[in-house]
Structures are given as structure tokens and as C-alpha cells.
Amino acid sequence: ANGNLALSYVSPQQGRVGTQVMLVGSGFSALENTVRFGVGGTQHVVSQNGTVIYYTIPSFVSSCDLVSGSCYSAAQQVTPGMYTIFVTSQNGTTNAVNFTVTQ
């Protein structure tokens, strides 16, 4: 099942830490999506229908977010600025879109 994995847009496109955003695209996995945000992200994110993922902008990110088991990378505070968001799953990797973290 190699659906066309794509990320069309993020809504809203900017917001503070803690903002819930809607990632709209196609080909998302039902249970096993990884949302990449800056250097970190979140694993095992669900998508109800394969086209929408809800994701909350984190206050800290670390490359350890994407590793199972022991990892010793320091977390970085998410500060205002532009970050890239993209989604990976067993179907592949989407294009990246920009999200601006505001004060």
C-alpha cells in the first residue's frame, strides 16, 4: 500500500507553542505517523482518515524524540521563528511545510 504521501498545508501556519495545528495531506498511516518538527517531533501519531493529523506545537524538541531507547541529546527550547514540519510513515516522507512560532 504505497499511497501518495503528501502534506498539502498546515493550519494555522503560525502560532505560539502549545497551538494545535491541523496537518492536511494524503496517504497518512492510520496509527504510525511521525511528525517531524524542527530537530525533533513526535512518533506514533494517528490519522483518523489518512488526510488529517492533529499536532500540538511542542515547547521543547530533541533528536531523541525520534529514537526508541536510550538517547542523550539535549532538548532545545522552541523559540519564535520558522520551523519545518513534515510527516514520515511506512509509505515514505512528505514534502516539508513551514510553520512560524510566534511570541
Side-chain angles (χ1 to χ4, degrees):
N2 191 2
N4 285 339
L5 187 62
L7 179 56
S8 302
Y9 63 92
V10 176
S11 178
Q13 293 179 313
Q14 61 179 32
R16 297 182 166 136
V17 162
T19 298
Q20 186 183 67
V21 296
M22 193 169 64
L23 311 183
V24 179
S26 60
F28 300 145
S29 164
L31 299 173
E32 288 295 323
N33 301 285
T34 298
V35 176
R36 301 288 303 265
F37 180 83
V39 299
T42 304
Q43 299 184 78
H44 315 300
V45 183
V46 301
S47 174
Q48 301 280 331
N49 52 12
T51 59
V52 175
I53 292 173
Y54 292 99
Y55 178 70
T56 301
I57 301 303
S59 46
F60 289 90
V61 288
S62 165
S63 54
C64 291
D65 297 344
L66 307 168
V67 177
S68 303
S70 299
C71 181
Y72 301 101
S73 174
Q76 300 175 12
Q77 186 167 7
V78 173
T79 54
M82 189 176 284
Y83 294 81
T84 56
I85 297 179
F86 62 98
V87 179
T88 62
S89 75
Q90 71 267 27
N91 294 333
T93 302
T94 69
N95 51 296
V97 297
N98 291 326
F99 181 86
T100 302
V101 174
T102 57
Q103 292 280 9

